[in-house]
Amino acid sequence: MQDIPLRKIDHVRFFVGNARQSAFFYRNAFGFDPVAYAGLETKVKHEAGYVLRQGEITFVLTSPLSAAHPESRRLLTHGDGVMDIAMDVPDVRAAFNEAVKRGGTPWAAPQALEDEHGVYETASILAYGDTTYSFVNRDRYRGVFAPGYKPMDPERYQESTFHPVGLAAIDHIVGNVEEGKMNEWVEFHKTVLGFSQLMHFDDKDISTEYSALMSKVVQSGTGRIKFPINEPAQGKRKSQIEEYLNFYGGPGVQHVALITGDIVKTVRAMRANDVSFLRVPKSYYAALPDRIGAIKEDLDELAELGILVDRDDEGYMLQIFTKPVADRPTLFFEVIQRRGGKSFGKGNFKALFEAIEREQATRGTL
Ligand code: FE2
């Protein structure tokens, strides 16, 4: 099937209760630079928006300014979370029409938004749960983000308190869907967006004594966009995916994986900024040399920071997961460095899921 040409992930939009405070968190803890703002001061009456950048990553944080906002119910249902994944396409109308023709559900019809900086085009279809996929094009737009947004007031943040942590790009974005729905959503990505299936893990790969999940990875034609899809599998106790579905109130984005060129430096900086990461037991590091062989990084340093390593045929990768970033045990982040390895950390699943189960136990949700 012909691909819809998806050039890259343009931005990820989070719908949050207090965008001003979330922007402070992503700036001061994750090292993002708030570059643009929309709100009452820019003549946007119904919501506030903060655009944050680091490397090629763009996050948009949106909060409603009243209960009359058409999306305000999201906050009650889901809490803070990913609302939309926007993908850059050469032709918004063509991408939207093609996706809808192939069975995608329209969410927002193609629109050309204009201001003195040019034309920004956007259209959206529904993805899993209340998550949407947007097609955007800014080839004819020269403004800071999109019409309605203005460059951040230089008085808002002090340059001296800004410390990027070296996050460079989005590696993958993972969706959690209900039990039995994974294949349906894999098919959706293949049929509607022309994705292909990269790999899959079943409950033999991804299970502990207690909980299990299944996962398949789909990617765009160019391989630049990767979306693993998880569903819960039967285990003795409640899986982390069920916990997510219960607290998020349905399917949604579980984690966003952010690439760094130097994970030791990035994680050290984020830890210094009070970002909380999952920890695996010391025994993980004792077993590591036998499992993955020689690596460039210092094992003691990886153990100190809690960074995990996995190897595949093409090289190895290093990864670490934050704890959930809100009080609901829902969205979290992964920091990942690839040294040739293309995997998603299959060899780490067991140690990782046991770490998650320990967290679940403290929440009483296991
Ligand atoms: Fe991941």
Side-chain angles (χ1 to χ4, degrees):
M1 182 178 293
Q2 189 209 326
D3 279 346
I4 292 178
L6 303 169
R7 298 196 286 210
K8 61 179 186 343
I9 293 177
D10 184 88
H11 64 270
V12 178
R13 184 183 297 270
F14 302 76
F15 203 72
V16 299
N18 190 334
R20 179 174 296 238
Q21 288 188 5
S22 290
F24 188 84
F25 171 79
Y26 286 108
R27 179 185 190 269
N28 292 8
F30 276 63
F32 280 84
D33 188 15
V35 295
Y37 168 78
L40 295 174
E41 298 84 347
T42 72
K43 300 191 171 53
V44 174
K45 299 271 191 279
H46 67 303
E47 64 186 29
Y50 290 72
V51 179
L52 296 99
R53 291 229 170 91
Q54 188 167 188
E56 293 171 20
I57 312 161
T58 302
F59 285 171
V60 183
L61 308 169
T62 299
S63 282
L65 292 177
S66 81
H69 189 289
E71 297 291 324
S72 61
R73 61 164 184 91
R74 275 177 185 269
L75 293 176
L76 274 176
T77 310
H78 303 306
D80 290 5
V82 172
M83 169 190 206
D84 181 62
I85 300 169
M87 292 171 276
D88 176 33
V89 297
D91 185 335
V92 167
R93 185 170 295 276
F96 175 82
N97 287 343
E98 185 63 23
V100 170
K101 197 176 86 190
R102 298 181 191 182
T105 307
W107 177 250
Q111 265 186 296
L113 306 172
E114 246 182 291
D115 68 8
E116 69 271 29
H117 303 292
V119 183
Y120 171 83
E121 289 172 89
T122 176
S124 316
I125 60 168
L126 271 185
Y128 42 80
D130 284 333
T131 316
T132 56
Y133 286 158
S134 290
F135 305 114
V136 303
N137 179 280
R138 55 179 76 256
D139 291 350
R140 293 185 292 147
Y141 193 69
R142 297 286 162 261
V144 62
F145 179 68
Y149 288 82
K150 296 276 188 297
M152 188 63 66
D153 174 2
E155 301 279 295
R156 175 67 71 81
Y157 303 101
Q158 298 205 38
E159 197 54 41
S160 64
T161 63
F162 175 57
H163 306 290
V165 302
L167 297 171
I170 292 174
D171 187 82
H172 58 273
I173 301 178
V174 181
N176 282 342
V177 301
E178 303 99 322
E179 189 178 344
K181 297 285 185 181
M182 175 182 67
N183 285 329
E184 213 172 280
W185 285 104
V186 166
E187 281 312 307
F188 164 89
H189 287 86
K190 286 184 182 171
T191 314
V192 174
L193 297 174
F195 278 38
S196 55
Q197 190 182 321
L198 189 58
M199 56 183 84
H200 77 275
F201 311 101
D202 60 25
D203 49 0
K204 283 188 287 300
D205 296 322
I206 319 184
S207 67
T208 64
E209 190 185 347
Y210 292 126
S211 62
L213 67 85
M214 308 228 274
S215 188
K216 288 185 176 175
V217 182
V218 290
Q219 67 171 12
S220 63
T222 59
R224 283 197 69 177
I225 303 175
K226 295 188 193 73
F227 294 153
I229 314 273
N230 297 332
E231 71 174 18
Q234 291 297 331
K236 283 188 203 160
R237 309 282 281 274
K238 195 196 271 183
S239 90
Q240 50 171 304
I241 312 303
E242 281 171 272
E243 185 196 39
Y244 175 100
L245 295 168
N246 287 342
F247 280 92
Y248 194 69
V253 169
Q254 179 206 39
H255 74 266
V256 180
L258 305 171
I259 287 256
T260 168
D262 185 344
I263 195 167
V264 168
K265 209 169 146 193
T266 297
V267 172
R268 199 173 281 292
M270 290 173 78
R271 281 199 181 277
N273 294 341
D274 289 330
V275 176
S276 302
F277 292 94
L278 286 173
R279 274 211 185 270
V280 296
K282 290 260 181 296
S283 55
Y284 173 91
Y285 293 95
L288 203 54
D290 278 348
R291 189 161 70 77
I292 50 129
I295 55 169
K296 289 185 177 143
E297 291 72 17
D298 177 50
L299 262 187
D300 291 336
E301 206 165 23
L302 298 183
E304 176 208 335
L305 294 168
I307 295 166
L308 312 176
V309 194
D310 197 24
R311 187 178 279 284
D312 61 27
D313 299 343
E314 295 171 77
Y316 66 97
M317 55 89 93
L318 304 108
Q319 65 183 169
I320 191 168
F321 296 85
T322 72
K323 292 187 181 181
V325 291
D327 285 307
R328 295 193 196 196
T330 52
L331 176 72
F332 58 87
F333 290 87
E334 174 179 355
V335 178
I336 179 168
Q337 180 179 3
R338 293 194 181 278
R339 290 213 186 263
K342 299 260 167 40
S343 87
F344 294 82
K346 177 173 154 179
N348 291 323
F349 287 163
K350 191 164 158 39
L352 201 58
F353 292 177
E354 285 168 353
I356 292 173
E357 284 169 15
R358 284 193 293 277
E359 298 284 319
Q360 283 183 266
T362 67
R363 295 191 282 260
T365 60
L366 190 61

